[in-house]
Amino acid sequence: QIVLTQSPAIMSASPGEKVTITCSASSSVNYMHWFQQKPGTSPKLWIYSTSNLASGVPARFSGSGSGTSYSLTISRMEAEDAATYYCQQRYIYPPTFGGGTKLEIK
Amino acid sequence: QVQLKESGPGLVAPSQSLSITCSVSGFSLTNYGVHWVRQPPGKGLEWLGVIWAGGSANYNSALMSRLNIIKDNSKSQVFLKINSLQTDDTAMYYCVREYFFFDFWGQGTTLIVSS
C-alpha cells in the first residue's frame, strides 16, 4: 500500500506567517486530498485533487504537487487555521492517510 | 442536504461482535459509495473498507477477516460488522461518502472495547 509521510508532525505559526505542510508518498500518485480536523469534530474535506479548495475554504489556502511530493500552504496564518491536517490518496487502493500535522497558533 | 450519522453500542466486551449503523440522507446509496474510517484516541485516521453503489465491498487487508460491510438501500443505511473485538479496536468510527473523494463525513460514534 502507499505510505504517506507528513512533515512536520507538529508546528506552530504566528498570525500572518506563511505555513507549508508537506506530504511524501512512497510511490507516485495522481492526486492528493487534504482534510482539516479540529478537536472533537470529524475531519472535513479541505483540498481535493491536489489543488482545488473545498466549499467554504478560505482563499489563503492552496495545494500543489505531483508524483510523490505534495504540499498544503497557508499564505497568512490565522487563528482559525489551528487544526490537524491530514493528506490522503485514493488513487491506488487501499486509500491511505498521512499521519497528520498538528498546526498551532503562536 | 447531505448527512451521515453513525450509531453504535458504545461499550463492548473483548471477543464480542458488534454492528455500527450509518444512516444517510440527502443522497441515494444506489449512486454513491460509503467508506468506514476509524480514529483511535489521540491518533490518526485508518481506512477500514467501502461498500460501493452496486453493493460490492472492499476491505483493509489487515482487518478483512473480521469485517463485513453491508447496506440496505431502501432504508438508506450502511452497516459495519466487526467480529472478535480487541481493546485496540477502541476508536471513533466514521462513515464517509465518496464522490471521487471523501466529501461528507458523519459525526462519528465512539466504540470502547473493555471488560
Side-chain angles (χ1 to χ4, degrees):
Chain A
Q1 67 177 29
I2 303 288
V3 175
L4 300 180
T5 303
Q6 288 185 234
S7 63
I10 304 175
M11 69 177 297
S12 61
S14 301
E17 185 178 349
K18 182 178 180 180
V19 171
T20 298
I21 298 169
T22 64
C23 179
S24 176
S26 58
S27 296
S28 181
V29 296
N30 274 10
Y31 297 105
M32 193 65 69
H33 310 304
W34 294 87
F35 299 89
Q36 181 198 67
Q37 186 179 33
K38 294 189 175 183
T41 69
S42 54
K44 293 180 182 177
L45 179 66
W46 212 245
I47 297 174
Y48 63 93
S49 302
T50 302
S51 60
N52 299 282
L53 302 185
S55 178
V57 174
R60 61 182 177 273
F61 284 85
S62 63
S64 63
S66 65
T68 61
S69 182
Y70 293 84
S71 63
L72 177 156
T73 299
I74 308 172
S75 59
R76 295 177 61 82
M77 176 75 180
E78 294 194 11
E80 66 177 14
D81 301 335
T84 299
Y85 294 86
Y86 294 93
C87 58
Q88 184 224 22
Q89 69 81 27
R90 63 163 297 288
Y91 175 67
I92 295 176
Y93 259 74
T96 49
F97 293 91
T101 294
K102 186 176 183 180
L103 174 61
E104 301 172 334
I105 188 80
K106 282 184 184 176
Chain B
Q1 77 262 31
V2 173
Q3 290 188 322
L4 302 93
K5 186 172 184 179
E6 307 85 346
S7 57
L11 176 65
V12 178
S15 80
Q16 298 299 302
S17 301
L18 65 65
S19 180
I20 300 174
T21 301
C22 175
S23 300
V24 310
S25 59
F27 68 98
S28 172
L29 293 176
T30 60
N31 293 328
Y32 293 87
V34 172
H35 296 255
W36 288 95
V37 175
R38 72 180 180 181
Q39 184 172 36
K43 296 189 177 180
L45 303 167
E46 179 181 29
W47 179 78
L48 299 179
V50 56
I51 188 160
W52 298 108
S56 63
N58 294 106
Y59 300 96
N60 182 320
S61 59
L63 298 166
M64 66 183 301
S65 65
R66 299 197 294 127
L67 300 181
N68 189 30
I69 302 174
I70 60 174
K71 64 175 179 170
D72 185 331
N73 291 334
S74 65
K75 294 184 177 180
S76 295
Q77 291 181 319
V78 179
F79 306 96
L80 171 67
K81 299 178 185 293
I82 312 175
N83 301 320
S84 304
L85 284 159
Q86 306 159 12
T87 55
D88 58 6
D89 291 315
T90 293
M92 181 72 78
Y93 285 75
Y94 298 103
C95 57
V96 192
R97 189 184 83 160
E98 170 167 346
Y99 177 71
F100 300 107
F101 34 80
F102 290 20
D103 61 351
F104 285 94
W105 295 62
Q107 64 189 21
T109 187
T110 298
L111 171 65
I112 298 172
V113 182
S114 174
S115 54

